[in-house]
Amino acid sequence: GPTRKMPLTASAMDFFQLFVPDNVLKNMVVQTNMYAKKYQERFGSDDAWIDVTLTEMKAFLGYMISTSIHHCESVLSIWSSGFYSNKSIALIMTQSRFEKILKYFHIVAFRSSQTTHGLYKIQPFLDSLQNGFDSAFRPSQAQVLHEPLIDEDPVFIATCTERELRKRKKRKFSLWVRQCSSTGFICQIYVHLKEGSGADGLDALKNKPQLHSMVAKSLCQNASGKNYIIFTGPSITSLNLFEEFEKQEIYCCGLLSARKSDCTGLPPSMLNNPETPPSRGQYRIRMKGNMSLICWYNKGHFRFLTNAYSPVQQGVIIKRKSGEIPCPLAVEAFAAHLSYICKYDDKYSKYFISHKPNKTWQQVFWFAISIAINNAYILYKMSEAYHVTRYSRAQFGERLVKELLGLEDTSPTH
């Protein structure tokens, strides 16, 4: 749960600033102004440009975040006369001023001579966000590694051609998270660039198990020695990775797939289906030290690899029509924690910021901001402030937008 007690009067902005504090916003102001100056030195002066202020930067973020609630096709719809126009917030800043800030917006204006990382323009922000996640929340023992469901803008999908949709789907990065399965709080983000040379570029992509193993190690680098139980999907699950994690006191439970998983070191007899299918709920087990390979049957063969649960401990899967189906405890635990994540995706994935810029670092930035707001809402729901004013996720987002735009006074609470 949360590591600090927030006051009853804490606003949406207070929770958001646990992850994106004023010093981070001030840095965006400095870097944006530096980039604007350098850009104009190179391409000619821009008489319409005036240095951006902290108040304007907050308003700029507020406009962007508003697209996560109203899902407008473009953030510029706010100033239009159409369905998605919003006269109440459009008066805070003119459209031309917003477009100027959008043109020059930067988090790191210049590449240093030592920088080779493809995400150098956003890495300081991701590091700051990670520190905020670590200091604000203690996750439960059970956690899940996965790619979060990022909903595409429904208006865009309804109106675009098939070719545009295919083009839109091809993001140049993949976003992975380590997530507390009981609350949905995202503890860590890992961004993998699909293009570029080096250990994390296209060469690594050709070897999928190696890539997913690298992603898992990056996401769990701060988890060693804490007795966490990590649940993984077929693309990450492998014997070598789980054995490596066990040495770091990280325990695992993962679903195996002969097609997607790295099955090196696993007995072939357990990976092949028997000619006559067993009855529902029956299972076979093979063990090696603390590691168990379970093959469980329920209208199909499901294989699990785990060192977190004893294979002899019994559990049940409850189905609405067929009632209780017996299974090992590892299978029951995996199904339960996976359902938590599905609920999180259903509830929060539709609140990702709709703005889709062309630049990869900006796409990553807006996804990271969306995750920070979802985490802020989760902390809000676990705080005493929630019992005073019970905001839904949409209402929380609207409050945050108004506070960023300065439409509501928020008394400082810390």
Side-chain angles (χ1 to χ4, degrees):
T3 56
R4 68 188 79 178
K5 189 176 180 181
M6 298 293 280
L8 290 169
T9 54
S11 64
M13 186 73 166
D14 291 328
F15 287 98
F16 177 64
Q17 292 214 303
L18 292 173
F19 310 123
V20 188
D22 267 353
N23 65 321
V24 172
L25 297 174
K26 284 173 185 172
N27 180 62
M28 291 179 195
V29 170
V30 171
Q31 296 293 329
T32 299
N33 289 332
M34 281 170 61
Y35 181 79
K37 184 181 176 185
K38 197 73 176 177
Y39 184 94
Q40 290 172 45
E41 283 175 4
R42 189 172 177 185
F43 298 107
S45 63
D46 184 347
D47 296 333
W49 173 252
I50 306 165
D51 277 2
V52 69
T53 63
L54 179 61
T55 305
E56 285 182 313
M57 185 56 74
K58 286 182 178 179
F60 173 75
L61 289 179
Y63 284 126
M64 286 298 193
I65 292 165
S66 72
T67 67
S68 68
I69 307 152
H70 305 296
H71 296 291
C72 46
E73 191 175 352
S74 164
V75 66
L76 302 179
S77 303
I78 292 167
W79 291 275
S80 72
S81 56
F83 180 76
Y84 289 106
S85 65
N86 193 331
K87 294 286 182 281
S88 62
I89 67 173
L91 299 172
I92 303 297
M93 185 186 289
T94 63
Q95 181 178 339
S96 59
R97 178 59 175 163
F98 175 85
E99 288 183 274
K100 284 292 177 193
I101 298 172
L102 182 61
K103 177 181 177 180
Y104 296 123
F105 175 67
H106 266 71
I107 295 162
V108 175
F110 309 114
R111 182 200 289 263
S112 68
S113 55
Q114 295 85 24
T115 308
T116 56
H117 195 275
L119 287 171
Y120 77 94
K121 286 195 171 185
I122 195 181
Q123 197 58 52
F125 175 76
L126 294 178
D127 293 340
S128 167
L129 204 60
Q130 187 58 56
N131 290 336
F133 292 169
D134 291 341
S135 61
F137 186 82
R138 278 192 306 272
S140 64
Q141 185 185 29
Q143 292 164 41
V144 180
L145 305 186
H146 72 121
E147 286 185 275
L149 179 67
I150 298 169
D151 269 7
E152 286 291 344
D153 175 16
V155 173
F156 178 84
I157 288 175
T159 58
C160 73
T161 64
E162 202 171 313
R163 183 165 175 262
E164 283 175 319
L165 190 60
R166 274 202 310 273
K167 188 179 174 185
R168 180 75 159 263
K169 290 284 183 187
K170 287 181 181 175
R171 278 196 293 269
K172 293 180 181 177
F173 65 93
S174 55
L175 187 74
W176 295 77
V177 298
R178 175 164 58 88
Q179 191 167 10
C180 170
S181 61
S182 55
T183 60
F185 189 95
I186 288 177
C187 310
Q188 195 160 352
I189 300 171
Y190 178 79
V191 181
H192 169 73
L193 288 178
K194 293 179 180 176
E195 292 182 0
S197 56
D200 58 348
L202 278 174
D203 298 335
L205 254 180
K206 289 170 188 170
N207 188 343
K208 282 284 176 68
Q210 185 186 340
L211 166 67
H212 292 140
S213 173
M214 181 189 76
V215 168
K217 287 172 189 173
S218 298
L219 285 170
C220 294
Q221 59 190 3
N222 301 328
S224 58
K226 296 179 181 175
N227 285 313
Y228 288 154
I229 298 174
I230 304 292
F231 292 88
T232 61
S235 60
I236 291 177
T237 304
S238 78
L239 180 63
N240 292 336
L241 179 67
F242 282 14
E243 286 178 337
E244 201 172 317
F245 274 170
E246 191 176 356
K247 292 171 187 171
Q248 301 171 35
E249 294 181 47
I250 302 171
Y251 301 95
C252 306
C253 180
L255 180 65
L256 269 172
S257 159
R259 190 168 55 87
K260 292 182 181 177
S261 306
D262 178 8
C263 297
T264 309
L266 298 175
S269 60
M270 291 290 284
L271 300 175
N272 298 324
N273 297 336
E275 291 178 12
T276 54
S279 57
R280 289 179 74 179
Q282 285 194 326
Y283 56 91
R284 296 177 291 148
I285 298 167
R286 287 286 292 274
M287 293 188 69
K288 177 188 174 185
N290 292 330
M291 201 71 65
S292 310
L293 175 58
I294 301 164
C295 182
W296 177 67
Y297 185 79
N298 177 27
K299 290 187 178 178
H301 293 274
F302 295 89
R303 293 171 179 83
F304 296 86
L305 191 65
T306 182
N307 56 4
Y309 298 93
S310 164
V312 295
Q313 281 186 287
Q314 291 294 310
V316 287
I317 298 284
I318 299 172
K319 294 283 184 183
R320 200 174 295 161
K321 291 181 180 177
S322 45
E324 293 185 353
I325 303 164
C327 65
L329 185 62
V331 179
E332 181 188 341
F334 185 89
H337 291 293
L338 208 65
S339 72
Y340 292 147
I341 297 307
C342 290
K343 283 177 188 171
Y344 174 90
D345 281 344
D346 292 344
K347 192 169 184 179
Y348 295 115
S349 67
K350 59 177 172 283
Y351 294 110
F352 277 79
I353 290 167
S354 296
H355 177 66
K356 299 290 188 292
N358 292 326
K359 291 175 181 170
T360 300
W361 73 264
Q362 288 187 7
Q363 291 174 19
V364 174
F365 174 76
W366 296 119
F367 283 137
I369 286 283
S370 303
I371 287 170
I373 299 168
N374 285 341
N375 277 355
Y377 181 68
I378 289 166
L379 290 188
Y380 160 72
K381 282 195 77 174
M382 297 171 79
S383 74
E384 292 178 2
Y386 179 68
H387 301 293
V388 179
T389 50
R390 290 174 174 263
Y391 294 131
S392 67
R393 172 63 184 83
Q395 289 169 328
F396 182 85
E398 285 175 354
R399 294 283 301 185
L400 178 59
V401 169
K402 286 182 177 178
E403 288 163 24
L404 282 165
L405 290 165
L407 290 172
E408 297 198 11
D409 290 332
T410 55
S411 53
T413 52
H414 53 260

